[in-house]
Amino acid sequence: MRRKRPKRTRASALLSSVLVLTTCLMFIEAYVLTERYYILEDQLVVKYLLGK
C-alpha cells in the first residue's frame, strides 16, 4: 500500500522558495546600495583632488 504525501510538502517548498528568493533580493539590494555609496565617495574624492 502506498502512503500519500501530506499536502504540507508543497506549501513548505513554496514557502522555502519565497524565503530564498527574498533573501537573495535583499542581498542584491544591499550590494547595489553599497556600490552606489562607494561610487559617490570616489567621485567626491576625485573632485576634491582636482580642486573642483
Side-chain angles (χ1 to χ4, degrees):
M1 209 192 303
R2 284 176 70 187
R3 290 185 182 179
K4 289 187 176 181
R5 288 186 176 181
K7 298 273 183 181
R8 291 183 187 176
T9 307
R10 197 177 298 165
S12 294
L14 179 64
L15 181 60
S16 296
S17 299
V18 169
L19 288 174
V20 167
L21 180 63
T22 304
T23 304
C24 289
L25 290 175
M26 287 175 58
F27 277 119
I28 290 170
E29 183 180 6
Y31 175 78
V32 168
L33 289 175
T34 303
E35 281 295 311
R36 284 184 187 167
Y37 172 77
Y38 283 116
I39 289 171
L40 178 63
E41 190 176 78
D42 290 345
Q43 288 173 347
L44 292 174
V45 168
V46 169
K47 283 183 181 180
Y48 175 78
L49 293 174
L50 293 176
K52 290 186 178 182

